[in-house]
Amino acid sequence: MPELNFSVDKPEYTYITTPDEANRALEELEKEPILGVDVESTGTEPYTEKLLLVQVGSETKSYIFDARKLDLKDLPRFKALLENPKTIKLTHNGKFDYKMIKAQTGVAMDNLYDSMLAEGILTAGLGSGLYSLKGLVKQYLDLTLKKDVRETFEGYTGKVTEEQLIYSALDTLVLFPVFREQFRKLQKENLTNVAKLEFATTRVVGDMELKGVYVDIEKWREIIDGLGKKRDEFAKQFQDVVRPFYDNGNQTDLFGDPVDAINMNSPSQLLDLFNNRLGIEISSTGASVLEKINHPVAKVLSQYRGYEKLISAFGEKLLSQINSVTHRLHPDFMQLGAATGRFSCKNPNLQQIPRNSEEAPFRECFNPAPGYKLVTADYSSFEMRILADLSGDANMIKALTEGLDIHSYTASLMFDKPYSSDFKKLYPDLRQIAKPIGFGLMYGMGPMGLSGQIGTTPDQAEDYIEKYFKSYPSVRDFLDKMARDAVRQGWSSTPGGRKRWYNKPSKTDPEYRKKMSNIERQAKNHPIQGTNADAVKYALVFLSNRLKKEGVDGAITHTVHDEIVCEIREDQAEDWAHIQSQEMVRAGELFIKKVPVISEPFVGDVWEH
DNA sequence: AGAGGTGGTG
DNA sequence: CATGCACCACCTCT
């Protein structure tokens, strides 16, 4: 365990409530190359909760700025210190501190180190992905922090207590030894470049979340209401058809209306219906099973499901999350939400809003503020390009370099037909076979999975897969090598250096083969998905820098895995669209050299691409 | 509260 | 031997 440069029981701190005290503290802090930063607030929401304390400390002493007694907006040296790009700020979950400080004082911290992200990088694929400071302090310093003091700040309006000050001071002091331990590990695992990328991304994500996205509430409600009517029609049809099969079939409610036979949202009740009453043996009521049953009940259930899904998952709940101050949605993006390095998103999850459709054009409700445009750009078939580059497969590289329709080209190789620009029209069925294989194999899909998807026998599917790999021989070699290396080493990595670890099962584990197969598939996919994530994160940083450098009136509002959306003042939107596309390409080209990287921008009043 | 089923996204 | 990667939200059921 490392030596500590502070007392756990009596940490050294100064509580600051006047500008004079603040300036004396800042004079000391300005001498430090590394600072620990933490904030205490009445809650976690930067626009509606209140900032209470900002702790900024050296490794031996914490200075606690009382944000209620000081006007931190009007302390130039405070701003200069936290925005100084040369001073490292140690944080734990720095996105939160960044947002809270920026929203309430206008100070945008720069040069962050984040022990939460660092731990996520060091243990990707293991554990839960959630790391508390308390947990890290226990692990690295064998020290038990009392975190119950934190709760005392929730909705707090009273005078700051000594207990609160001690707690607040410790939160910056412990960051230093944790940082040193993690840093050693990051260097040992060659993860410093990935860490730099993640740390640079944090303030971009913070800005993105603070900016949020506008949603047209009225239009959203119209869509939901329309879907609700359709859903209710199918629900009634379903109940009418099914009612005779139940004992309560003649029952009516208070108003004489027939009562529902079953809860059609209950998979177990549906299984009972199909297996025991309709005489149709099914093991699951999922969409892929239902579509194979030629029965009116299955059909009407599928239609009901389509509407019910949209209403329950994307209905009123999303609108309730619109911020009362900004009137926009401010979702939570988690930088290391996925083990592969991808973001995840929640409250609400903007990465699963349905694509626009005739009946449910949800994304059309995402609009720019008046006088602004949405600039959307996504990488075109990026994962395919990554696979081509990483595998070095000559055929795949040729197809992507010449801009051929990749699935048609694949089909032409698989089935020995001449490729032409109208292949898609000439052999739509062959292309339709090639397409899911192209995607599926990047996920390590086997004959079973493919046969289930394209509706053939596993033998036929295996034959297709064989044809695919004969067309792209280096792709098979590459995927196999990824699986082998991961099993041998216990981890896989992206060209950017991002690692994902695997818990190998013991040979006596009854699920040994299943678990090993999982690892093999995950390892085949990780370099591909992870490289996509690496590129998007670089792109976000590049874009943020360009917005500033060009003095563009606009902001990044959200990102969906291979897509970035910005909100840009109308007169600058077209120019920005080109810059955005260029910067995304530049980010992609850091990793992809053998095939072109293409990003297609789109300027409009709605979110689409 | 947590697990399992289902289904939306890339 | 098991059989498609990565998520999150909502629902039911225990």
Side-chain angles (χ1 to χ4, degrees):
Chain A
M1 289 297 156
E3 290 255 323
L4 301 183
N5 295 320
F6 57 87
S7 156
V8 178
D9 300 321
K10 287 192 173 8
E12 199 183 333
Y13 68 85
T14 305
Y15 174 52
I16 296 157
T17 58
T18 69
D20 280 351
E21 289 167 357
N23 281 320
R24 277 200 295 279
L26 289 162
E27 194 172 333
E28 293 303 312
L29 289 166
E30 282 160 4
K31 298 171 189 162
E32 301 290 335
I34 305 179
L35 300 170
V37 177
D38 185 37
V39 309
E40 306 302 335
S41 52
T42 58
T44 57
E45 212 292 311
Y47 290 110
T48 55
E49 299 290 349
K50 199 153 171 40
L51 185 59
L52 297 172
L53 304 174
V54 179
Q55 307 97 275
V56 186
S58 70
E59 61 178 302
T60 55
K61 182 171 177 182
S62 192
Y63 294 88
I64 305 174
F65 296 81
D66 189 321
R68 290 181 299 178
K69 304 201 167 176
L70 290 160
D71 185 4
L72 294 174
K73 279 198 182 79
D74 201 28
L75 266 179
R77 288 175 78 174
F78 175 80
K79 185 177 172 74
L81 180 71
L82 293 190
E83 293 189 349
N84 183 349
K86 289 186 182 137
T87 312
I88 298 167
K89 286 85 183 175
L90 307 182
T91 64
H92 185 79
N93 188 17
K95 185 185 76 175
F96 170 74
D97 305 291
Y98 174 86
K99 284 164 64 183
M100 194 58 91
I101 292 173
K102 187 173 182 193
Q104 308 220 356
T105 74
V107 173
M109 274 200 286
D110 199 1
N111 200 358
L112 299 176
Y113 175 94
D114 188 327
S115 50
M116 189 178 84
L117 291 177
E119 199 62 20
I121 292 165
L122 286 166
T123 62
L126 311 169
S128 69
L130 286 176
Y131 309 94
S132 66
L133 182 57
K134 183 183 162 87
L136 296 189
V137 165
K138 179 77 188 132
Q139 175 191 332
Y140 287 109
L141 314 180
D142 197 25
L143 209 69
T144 305
L145 281 184
K146 283 187 249 145
K147 292 306 276 191
D148 46 336
V149 184
R150 159 162 296 182
E151 292 159 20
T152 67
F153 287 109
E154 277 170 30
Y156 194 71
T157 54
K159 210 173 147 208
V160 182
T161 66
E162 189 184 0
E163 190 189 27
Q164 288 177 324
L165 290 170
I166 289 173
Y167 161 85
S168 305
L170 278 174
D171 265 0
T172 65
L173 294 167
V174 296
L175 293 172
F176 288 82
V178 168
F179 158 69
R180 281 192 292 269
E181 296 299 303
Q182 286 182 324
F183 197 75
R184 274 222 315 269
K185 279 192 172 184
L186 289 168
Q187 285 178 310
K188 186 167 150 256
E189 299 284 354
N190 286 319
L191 286 164
T192 52
N193 278 336
V194 174
K196 274 187 205 166
L197 172 60
E198 292 297 342
F199 298 156
T201 304
T202 295
R203 58 203 307 274
V204 184
V205 176
D207 286 337
M208 190 165 79
E209 291 183 2
L210 285 176
K211 180 71 186 178
V213 296
Y214 174 81
V215 179
D216 184 334
I217 298 173
E218 295 312 313
K219 182 160 185 183
W220 192 271
R221 286 225 170 87
E222 272 173 36
I223 294 173
I224 296 298
D225 289 348
L227 297 174
K229 290 197 179 79
K230 295 262 177 52
R231 175 196 58 186
D232 295 347
E233 283 170 27
F234 287 115
K236 183 172 184 310
Q237 278 183 40
F238 176 90
Q239 297 293 350
D240 287 346
V241 175
V242 149
R243 199 169 287 115
F245 294 92
Y246 290 84
D247 293 340
N248 64 359
N250 296 318
Q251 229 171 293
T252 56
D253 65 13
L254 272 177
F255 305 99
D257 293 318
V259 89
D260 281 355
I262 59 167
N263 179 349
M264 53 194 303
N265 289 333
S266 165
S268 68
Q269 292 181 38
L270 289 168
L271 276 182
D272 169 66
L273 168 67
F274 281 101
N275 292 340
N276 304 331
R277 298 168 196 265
L278 298 178
I280 302 169
E281 281 297 321
I282 52 173
S283 57
S284 143
T285 69
S288 61
V289 174
L290 290 185
E291 75 183 7
K292 286 181 194 131
I293 306 173
N294 194 14
H295 191 285
V297 170
K299 189 152 189 207
V300 76
L301 174 60
S302 297
Q303 296 179 103
Y304 165 85
R305 282 249 182 94
Y307 293 106
E308 169 62 15
K309 168 75 183 184
L310 296 174
I311 294 161
S312 62
F314 308 105
E316 209 55 41
K317 180 70 193 294
L318 183 138
L319 296 182
S320 76
Q321 295 179 80
I322 293 176
N323 189 282
S324 60
V325 173
T326 65
H327 306 293
R328 293 167 74 101
L329 281 174
H330 300 274
D332 193 3
F333 286 91
M334 276 146 305
Q335 267 178 251
L336 298 178
T340 53
R342 263 197 190 173
F343 284 103
S344 71
C345 180
K346 62 181 181 181
N347 302 322
N349 182 0
L350 289 192
Q351 301 184 320
Q352 62 175 159
I353 303 296
R355 305 292 301 264
N356 285 327
S357 67
E358 191 80 24
E359 276 188 312
F362 285 111
R363 295 189 181 198
E364 288 184 8
C365 301
F366 290 78
N367 310 127
Y372 290 75
K373 292 279 183 189
L374 290 186
V375 180
T376 305
D378 65 336
Y379 287 110
S380 82
S381 46
F382 198 27
E383 294 201 341
M384 194 74 76
R385 292 172 196 276
I386 293 167
L387 177 60
D389 191 278
L390 298 189
S391 68
D393 188 275
N395 282 338
M396 196 174 274
I397 288 171
K398 170 176 152 39
L400 291 168
T401 302
E402 294 177 9
L404 309 183
D405 172 47
I406 183 69
H407 303 303
S408 293
Y409 182 72
T410 303
S412 84
L413 291 177
M414 285 175 63
F415 302 107
D416 200 23
K417 303 280 184 218
Y419 177 85
S420 62
S421 54
D422 55 355
F423 189 96
K424 197 171 174 174
K425 278 187 191 133
L426 290 174
Y427 307 103
D429 45 335
L430 297 185
R431 187 180 185 276
Q432 210 46 48
I433 292 167
K435 190 173 173 180
I437 301 180
F439 287 118
L441 291 185
M442 288 194 284
Y443 309 147
M445 187 172 60
M448 280 300 288
L450 180 64
S451 67
Q453 195 183 312
I454 62 177
T456 61
T457 63
D459 280 351
Q460 179 62 262
E462 187 162 20
D463 179 55
Y464 287 147
I465 290 173
E466 198 50 42
K467 284 185 160 67
Y468 181 94
F469 279 140
K470 283 225 168 71
S471 307
Y472 300 122
S474 299
V475 169
R476 166 154 44 199
D477 296 345
F478 168 76
L479 293 173
D480 286 348
K481 178 168 166 44
M482 290 305 105
R484 264 200 324 274
D485 289 355
V487 166
R488 186 166 46 80
Q489 302 173 137
W491 51 267
S492 54
S493 68
T494 68
R498 186 186 299 279
K499 282 186 175 174
R500 173 180 184 168
W501 282 267
Y502 303 93
N503 277 318
K504 277 199 269 182
S506 96
K507 290 216 165 97
T508 59
D509 191 320
E511 296 195 296
Y512 178 78
R513 250 338 296 178
K514 180 188 161 97
K515 288 179 178 172
M516 291 301 282
S517 300
N518 284 341
I519 291 173
E520 287 169 2
R521 287 193 304 276
Q522 290 163 342
K524 287 175 181 177
N525 181 249
H526 172 234
I528 303 170
Q529 193 181 117
T531 296
N532 185 341
D534 292 343
V536 165
K537 286 176 175 177
Y538 272 103
L540 288 170
V541 173
F542 291 170
L543 289 172
S544 174
N545 291 341
R546 281 301 286 275
L547 280 170
K548 206 174 296 172
K549 187 177 153 211
E550 310 290 335
V552 169
D553 179 359
I556 305 168
T557 65
H558 59 293
T559 174
V560 190
H561 306 310
D562 62 356
E563 169 186 358
I564 297 173
V565 183
C566 295
E567 187 173 329
I568 307 290
R569 202 177 71 205
E570 227 159 4
D571 59 308
Q572 301 177 325
E574 282 295 338
D575 287 346
W576 174 258
H578 290 108
I579 295 174
Q580 179 170 336
S581 177
Q582 277 167 17
E583 293 293 346
M584 286 175 69
V585 167
R586 184 161 75 91
E589 287 175 345
L590 295 175
F591 307 109
I592 302 307
K593 319 253 188 214
K594 298 173 186 161
V595 296
V597 175
I598 295 175
S599 153
E600 288 163 348
F602 184 91
V603 180
D605 293 315
V606 302
W607 173 23
E608 60 182 326
H609 60 256

